Amino acid sequence: MPDNSSQTMGAGGSMQLSRIDLNLFTVFDAIYREGGITPASRRLHLSQPAVSHALGRLRELLNDPLFERRGHEMIPTPRARSLADSIASSLGNLEQMLQRVGHFEPGTAQRCFTIAARESHELTFLPALMSRIGEEASHIDIASVRIDRRDLEEDLQSGEIDLAIDVALPLSNDVRRERIGAEPLVVLARADHPVVQGKLDIETYTSLSHILITGRRRGGGYEDGALARLGMSRHIKMRCQHHAAASQVVSRSDLLATMTRGQAVIVNRATANQLLPFPIEVPPLESFLYWHSNVDEDPASQWFRAQVKACLAERSG
């Protein structure tokens, strides 16, 4: 029998799966189970010549007869018997996977969803999300990671992250977005602040020193843009990454910190700082949920988006 197996071999003598017709293993499994070509052809709804041809190709591929005729039966060779269980198991796993396509059962699914968010959003919705998922999907894990706006679209497209929550961003139409909320700004000042007591005007605000909460090394925040449009500015005495840390610093200094009201309510529980309206009228800070269009119709992604949106709606409700 000619040995044509080299056509499917890669470097080092390993078989290259991309060059193998996987239907051949379906034929092998049917012959092994049914004990002959005729019953295998009935099982597969193929003609006998088609099954015989497939067996011939598999014999060449594996360089083994695989089955030897004895009367009306096809008796498997030792090589065939050694392969049978692995082939049957692999075909079964593939069939189960295909049955799951287009279907998602959160109660039994085992998966980790990754969401890119800022610390401020983690504070306001992550506890509710874990509580909600823990009740419905105990085998689902969540990873919340730092958002990197430079790589956001690529990470969403590749599936490196499933969802992102951030402010309005200039991304392509391949990235879907949904507005999930808008919150006003407030200013934190310590309870016994020597200048700020129960009210705050723009002159006082700009005359004092501030904490800017950001992950960036330079540049201002949303509030600095609002001031700049009025020809104003403020002195940033300190930059930090976390709202809770900023609230603690405020409680022990004369610095002010500006953040959204939802963030302030949470972090201020441990400090009892004053929460004052931002001293000029500015539009509320909008937040958006982002995902890639390639998972629009994916049932697992649809379920996860629904859970996140429900938690965000509870927060704003």
Side-chain angles (χ1 to χ4, degrees):
M1 181 179 296
D3 182 2
N4 296 328
S5 60
S6 61
Q7 297 175 3
T8 61
M9 295 293 181
S14 61
M15 287 192 180
Q16 295 183 331
L17 188 61
S18 62
R19 298 185 181 183
I20 297 174
D21 182 357
L22 298 183
N23 288 316
L24 300 180
F25 296 106
T26 303
V27 171
F28 172 94
D29 184 65
I31 296 173
Y32 190 88
R33 290 172 182 269
E34 301 296 333
I37 289 178
T38 299
S41 65
R42 288 196 294 265
R43 179 188 180 97
L44 297 171
H45 304 289
L46 296 173
S47 67
Q48 291 185 37
V51 174
S52 296
H53 179 67
L55 177 58
R57 291 174 59 195
L58 195 56
R59 283 168 165 167
E60 292 180 2
L61 175 68
L62 299 177
N63 195 29
D64 188 271
L66 297 177
F67 300 94
E68 297 174 339
R69 185 175 294 280
R70 292 183 188 172
H72 296 293
E73 288 188 273
M74 298 288 286
I75 305 301
T77 66
R79 179 78 181 277
R81 286 195 296 270
S82 71
L83 294 171
D85 287 345
S86 295
I87 289 174
S89 176
S90 298
L91 291 174
N93 290 336
L94 182 59
E95 185 175 359
Q96 290 178 18
M97 181 195 71
L98 293 175
Q99 288 174 349
R100 291 194 298 266
V101 172
H103 187 65
F104 179 72
E105 288 289 348
T108 57
Q110 294 186 346
R111 175 167 173 174
C112 180
F113 289 98
T114 301
I115 184 165
R118 295 184 298 170
E119 180 258 353
S120 58
H121 289 116
E122 283 189 339
L123 283 170
T124 54
F125 87 95
L126 211 50
L129 178 64
M130 290 310 300
S131 175
R132 185 183 186 91
I133 287 178
E135 296 173 0
E136 183 180 355
S138 58
H139 299 296
I140 296 293
D141 298 330
I142 302 296
S144 179
V145 300
R146 180 177 293 277
I147 198 163
D148 188 335
R149 290 168 176 164
R150 296 169 300 179
D151 301 326
L152 179 58
E153 184 161 348
E154 181 180 340
D155 287 344
L156 287 169
Q157 182 178 21
S158 68
E160 185 75 16
I161 59 175
D162 297 287
L163 289 176
I165 299 177
D166 205 353
V167 297
L169 299 173
L171 303 173
S172 80
N173 291 333
D174 289 333
V175 176
R176 305 292 192 237
R177 69 206 70 201
E178 182 175 330
R179 185 178 179 272
I180 54 175
E183 289 198 82
L185 296 181
V186 297
V187 182
L188 271 66
R190 67 183 171 97
D192 54 349
H193 197 284
V195 177
V196 180
Q197 282 299 319
K199 60 181 180 180
L200 180 65
D201 57 37
I202 189 62
E203 289 76 17
T204 304
Y205 181 85
T206 54
S207 69
L208 295 172
S209 295
H210 296 259
I211 304 168
L212 174 62
I213 307 150
T214 179
R216 301 191 307 274
R217 297 183 181 184
R218 56 187 62 86
Y222 179 69
E223 57 271 35
D224 294 293
L227 292 172
R229 286 189 288 273
L230 296 176
M232 300 179 179
S233 63
R234 61 178 182 161
H235 175 229
I236 297 174
K237 181 78 171 178
M238 174 183 173
R239 301 172 76 97
C240 76
Q241 300 179 81
H242 299 290
H243 293 76
S247 181
Q248 290 287 342
V249 173
V250 165
S251 71
R252 302 182 186 187
S253 70
D254 292 338
L255 300 179
L256 305 182
T258 303
M259 61 186 74
T260 63
R261 183 173 57 196
Q263 296 156 2
V265 168
I266 292 173
V267 301
N268 199 44
R269 290 169 183 165
T271 51
N273 294 313
Q274 300 179 71
L275 266 63
L276 306 163
F278 194 68
I280 57 174
E281 187 173 340
V282 296
L285 186 60
E286 293 183 310
S287 295
F288 293 84
L289 188 66
Y290 294 94
W291 68 94
H292 200 271
S293 59
N294 61 16
V295 296
D296 263 343
E297 306 302 323
D298 176 59
S301 298
Q302 290 175 338
W303 175 84
F304 186 52
R305 290 198 298 273
Q307 306 313 303
V308 171
K309 287 192 284 187
C311 292
L312 293 167
E314 290 173 8
R315 179 197 69 175
S316 59

